[in-house]
Amino acid sequence: MGAQDGPTLITSVQRALRLLEAVSAHENGAPAKQLARETELPLGTAYHLLRTLVHDGYVRKLGDGGFVLGDRLNSLHAAGNAQTLLSRVRPALAALRDELAGAVYLTLYEEGEIRVAEIVDGPRTPRVDLWVGFEDAGHATALGKSVLRELDEEGRREYLSRHHLADLTPRTITSLPELLRRIESPPLAPAVTDLEEYALGTVCVAVPVYRGDTLGSVGVSLPAERRTQLQEVRDRLVPLAIRVTRNLSLTI
């Protein structure tokens, strides 16, 4: 039975993809009979596959019986575009990783949260153990503080009103006035640092980037004993951020 299931499954996938292509050709929707005719599928098979696609959100059935592409497929398209943009900046991030011997991170501020979009590390440049999600640690990471620094005062306070300043290490800044003071006047501006505030034994420096109107940050983490090199890292990050912003903002 296993040998028969493979070809049958492949055929079903091929038919479903043909139906999706046919649906996408009709902006205002098309009925099942028309889609079956265009894809040269038996009407019963077309109905069955369309019901499955509707159930999974890839296709949506209109009130008049026509079928159009569903929100889930649109989400996949958006995700594909985002991956294409990220692929444009990975080589630059990887080159910086190799040059500075440190893991490189890219974050984006989306839907009110600071989220990791990409990490470029390696056997000799391991990433920081993200034991607390960035959504809950924006105040303790250079990447998060870089985003907060770029927000206007209202946006910054709105974010901080929704996020507790958790005490992650003995060095974490948990005083809101002190955090705001350090964000507004960092010694390595426009870079912001994390001096073992997220994880003991690790320091990080980050600068802002943009994807169109979406704010983000790019940063490098290093062992704490390399703290004296943060100025050098900052000087390499600033021009890199300009290239990353340019590539992330290109129209696909």
Side-chain angles (χ1 to χ4, degrees):
M1 180 175 294
Q4 295 177 354
D5 288 345
T8 300
L9 178 60
I10 292 173
T11 300
S12 295
V13 171
Q14 290 173 331
R15 289 173 172 175
L17 291 174
R18 282 159 55 192
L19 271 174
L20 285 173
E21 290 175 350
V23 171
S24 69
H26 299 279
E27 183 177 349
N28 298 318
K33 289 183 178 179
Q34 181 178 352
L35 294 170
R37 185 168 59 251
E38 292 177 357
T39 55
E40 300 181 349
L41 293 175
L43 183 57
T45 299
Y47 270 125
H48 172 71
L49 290 173
L50 286 168
R51 282 196 299 269
T52 300
L53 291 169
V54 168
H55 178 269
D56 290 340
Y58 293 105
V59 168
R60 181 163 55 91
K61 188 174 183 180
L62 303 176
D64 62 3
F67 293 89
V68 295
L69 295 179
D71 292 337
R72 189 167 184 183
L73 198 62
N74 292 332
S75 297
L76 288 176
H77 178 68
N81 286 345
Q83 289 180 356
T84 299
L85 288 174
L86 288 176
S87 70
R88 293 174 176 172
V89 302
R90 286 191 189 104
L93 300 182
L96 186 68
R97 173 202 61 194
D98 296 340
E99 177 184 348
L100 298 177
V104 181
Y105 310 77
L106 175 68
T107 71
L108 293 172
Y109 187 57
E110 299 175 314
E111 299 178 346
E113 299 294 345
I114 301 166
R115 294 172 176 157
V116 178
E118 188 66 45
I119 300 177
V120 180
D121 58 357
R124 297 182 180 180
T125 55
R127 68 184 66 185
V128 177
D129 178 16
L130 302 182
W131 66 286
V132 175
F134 268 54
E135 292 88 347
D136 300 314
H139 66 293
T141 65
L143 292 151
K145 288 188 286 183
S146 178
V147 169
L148 292 175
R149 184 171 187 269
E150 290 301 299
L151 292 174
D152 59 29
E153 183 177 354
E154 180 180 353
R156 187 186 307 156
R157 291 189 178 276
E158 191 279 330
Y159 173 89
L160 292 171
S161 71
R162 296 184 284 107
H163 296 80
H164 174 61
L165 303 186
D167 187 5
L168 304 183
T169 79
R171 298 179 180 274
T172 305
I173 302 169
T174 57
S175 164
L176 181 57
E178 178 64 12
L179 177 65
L180 292 174
R181 184 186 69 79
R182 295 198 188 188
I183 287 175
E184 291 167 357
S185 302
L188 297 181
V192 180
T193 60
D194 152 21
L195 305 178
E196 300 185 82
E197 297 158 45
Y198 177 77
L200 291 176
T202 299
V203 295
C204 182
V205 58
V207 296
V209 296
Y210 282 85
R211 186 186 68 190
D213 294 331
T214 300
L215 172 61
S217 59
V218 61
V220 176
S221 66
L222 302 169
E225 56 265 27
R226 295 179 59 192
R227 177 172 174 169
T228 57
Q229 299 176 23
L230 292 185
Q231 177 69 57
E232 175 190 350
V233 175
R234 178 261 189 209
D235 293 343
R236 292 295 299 115
L237 275 174
V238 171
L240 175 78
I242 295 173
R243 296 202 305 274
V244 169
T245 291
R246 183 168 57 246
N247 287 330
L248 287 178
S249 300
L250 292 174
T251 302
I252 296 178

